[in-house]
Amino acid sequence: MSVEKTDTLVVGGGQAGVAMSEHLSKCAVPHLVLERGRIAERWRSQRWDSLVANGPAWHDRFPGMEFPVTGPDGFPPKEEVADYFAAYARQISAPIRCGVEVMRAQRNVGRPGFRVETSDGVIEANSIVAATGPFQVPVIPALVPGDAGIPQLHSSAYRNPGQLPKGALLVVGAGSSGVQIADELQRSGRRVYLSVGPHDRPPRAYRGRDFCWWLGVLGKWDLETPGPGTEHVTIAVSGARGGETIDFRRLAAQGLTLVGMTKTYQDGILTFAPDLARNIARGDANLMSLLDEADAYVARNGLDLPEEPTARRIDPDPDCLINPIGELDLAEAGIVAIIWATGFAVDYSWLKVDAFDEKGRPRHQRGVSTEPGLYFLGLPWQSRRGSSFIWGVWHDAKHVADRISTQRKYLAYHAAARRETVDA
């Protein structure tokens, strides 16, 4: 059986894989990108119908192309985002092979490189870049048994209100996905309960500038490590309907019922932690802190940006916050389905190398693995806070490509020195 060879094999054809291909080409590194679905497949098939990007088009893009339909201050819908990456791949002539799944990769014995088994045959590569991103395996907590008689689905399987049975719904998780899905369901006429945990809720925009701009000028995108206790805190932000600041009190006033973190389930009854008020207060504090920093930046730099006192307005607490629900009988409440907006786990089971810690997380430095020849791209906080965002992954790919190119130069020197020795 013939074995295909390439210098660098990139696994994953989403935003990370496309960015990686661009920078490898600029470094003249021969490579191949494998994608088991279509380019940017997760944007097409693992997102709900009405999803738009959470960042404005001027910010969440690669430097080499603007979004062709959505204007710079708009929020492109998911299909346009997917089409953007497909068009970008064509623009840079990325060698992406779609419909090919990588099943196993292991180091060669006694010689450099890796042997990679795919659904289309065996490939040998000197280097591998795992560019599969952070959203690989949907996480549903083992809380409500599968035989409890109530449908459960992850946010990645949610498409629109019409796919769910008629009745009340519980959404667990108040990050960007959970809030947007709960809001959409409530607007469709459903009774919705939203389980709210610790979160940050930045302003969508303030004093005429989007929060992405504020995080940039305040240096927050470039933070290299999360603060203590903030590693897994979700961010509640939305680009829906032209972009808006998430306000849980407003959502409650519109009819959505807030509850604390979901804790236990027994005999049809869910219990919630008594932390709702604390979680809402933490989100408020995060909002006010960013507004304070923005105001200080404006004053320090003498910027002509209009004041916006209404951004600090806090509406009265709704009844569900004053008198929080401690437990909920699902049948009595008429809840017909649970949507778990509880994030994802990574899956590197195809990589048969010693490159992971006891929790299965990659051991790396800015994407350079402890396993020689192996690299990662698209990880949260890979080099900075913005690493898992579209623009951030592009910059991380540049660093990884440079490291791969440098290693190739050392190996090229070694090969040349050997030839000189033999010729002598």
Side-chain angles (χ1 to χ4, degrees):
M1 181 181 296
S2 62
V3 175
E4 185 175 2
K5 297 181 184 292
T6 187
D7 183 273
T8 299
L9 182 67
V10 181
V11 181
Q15 62 194 42
V18 174
M20 194 71 247
S21 181
E22 177 175 11
H23 289 294
L24 288 173
S25 293
K26 289 180 177 179
C27 290
V29 176
H31 65 281
L32 174 65
V33 182
L34 298 183
E35 165 57 46
R36 64 182 176 183
R38 297 166 290 180
I39 295 174
E41 179 64 40
R42 287 193 175 96
W43 278 97
R44 299 189 190 278
S45 60
Q46 295 188 26
R47 304 289 189 270
W48 62 95
D49 296 345
S50 64
L51 175 69
V52 300
N54 284 326
W58 67 264
H59 184 264
D60 284 5
R61 66 177 180 87
F62 289 167
M65 181 186 290
E66 297 182 353
F67 279 91
V69 179
T70 299
D73 293 318
F75 302 88
K78 69 183 188 77
E79 287 295 334
E80 186 181 351
V81 175
D83 290 342
Y84 173 89
F85 289 120
Y88 202 95
R90 290 192 297 271
Q91 175 177 286
I92 64 174
S93 300
I96 298 181
R97 192 175 299 170
C98 294
V100 180
E101 182 174 5
V102 173
M103 297 176 291
R104 181 183 179 91
Q106 61 188 47
R107 179 167 290 286
N108 290 327
V109 178
R111 57 192 178 91
F114 301 86
R115 173 185 169 88
V116 183
E117 299 174 14
T118 81
S119 59
D120 195 36
V122 175
I123 298 175
E124 287 196 349
N126 294 326
S127 302
I128 293 177
V129 180
T132 49
F135 308 119
Q136 298 174 31
V137 181
V139 172
I140 296 181
L143 193 64
V144 181
D147 60 0
I150 183 167
Q152 304 178 63
L153 68 156
H154 190 265
S155 57
S156 60
Y158 169 77
R159 295 295 173 265
N160 55 65
Q163 81 181 107
L164 301 171
K166 295 187 180 302
L169 300 160
L170 170 66
V171 179
V172 180
S176 294
S177 296
V179 170
Q180 292 179 52
I181 291 171
D183 188 27
E184 177 174 88
L185 291 170
Q186 192 276 328
R187 289 173 182 268
S188 74
R190 301 298 191 93
R191 179 164 178 75
V192 180
Y193 296 82
L194 176 62
S195 179
V196 180
H199 61 274
D200 288 346
R201 65 173 194 100
R204 172 71 271 175
Y206 182 57
R207 300 184 71 159
R209 296 291 182 268
D210 189 85
F211 99 97
C212 289
W213 186 85
W214 284 115
L215 293 190
V217 298
L218 295 173
K220 295 184 180 294
W221 285 126
D222 290 326
L223 293 176
E224 295 184 357
T225 56
T230 65
E231 293 87 348
H232 305 294
V233 173
T234 59
I235 299 178
V237 67
S238 175
R241 292 173 296 280
E244 57 191 12
T245 299
I246 297 300
D247 186 336
F248 289 97
R249 293 177 180 83
R250 174 181 55 80
L251 292 173
Q254 294 172 354
L256 194 148
T257 301
L258 308 175
V259 295
M261 287 188 68
T262 304
K263 298 298 291 184
T264 65
Y265 172 86
Q266 186 173 5
D267 299 328
I269 297 176
L270 275 174
T271 63
F272 306 101
D275 61 355
L276 178 60
R278 181 169 67 252
N279 295 336
I280 297 296
R282 172 183 174 147
D284 294 343
N286 171 256
L287 172 68
M288 296 304 172
S289 175
L290 188 56
L291 298 184
D292 289 344
E293 291 187 59
D295 287 342
Y297 183 87
V298 169
R300 184 169 60 252
N301 292 280
L303 300 185
D304 183 20
L305 294 177
E307 295 186 3
E308 191 177 340
T310 57
R312 296 179 179 273
R313 185 181 66 200
I314 299 294
D315 291 336
D317 288 346
D319 182 68
C320 61
L321 189 55
I322 298 171
N323 302 295
I325 296 172
E327 64 178 35
L328 196 64
D329 186 309
L330 299 182
E332 287 185 5
I335 292 177
V336 296
I338 301 174
I339 300 173
W340 298 92
T342 42
F344 297 79
V346 295
D347 179 12
Y348 294 111
S349 58
W350 54 277
L351 274 171
K352 307 301 182 182
V353 294
D354 182 20
F356 306 95
D357 64 18
E358 65 280 358
K359 294 183 178 180
R361 297 172 301 195
R363 295 196 300 265
H364 71 97
Q365 179 67 33
R366 294 188 64 185
V368 180
S369 172
T370 55
E371 177 77 18
L374 177 63
Y375 305 83
F376 295 94
L377 187 61
L379 299 175
W381 294 92
Q382 178 159 317
S383 69
R384 70 193 88 184
R385 181 179 182 174
S387 286
S388 56
F389 291 78
I390 292 172
W391 66 271
V393 79
W394 189 90
H395 288 283
D396 282 347
K398 185 176 186 298
H399 172 77
V400 173
D402 180 67
R403 293 298 298 269
I404 293 172
S405 177
T406 298
Q407 287 299 310
R408 293 185 76 240
K409 292 173 183 177
Y410 282 121
L411 292 174
Y413 171 84
H414 171 69
R418 287 187 61 187
R419 286 195 297 270
E420 290 177 3
T421 300
V422 171
D423 292 343

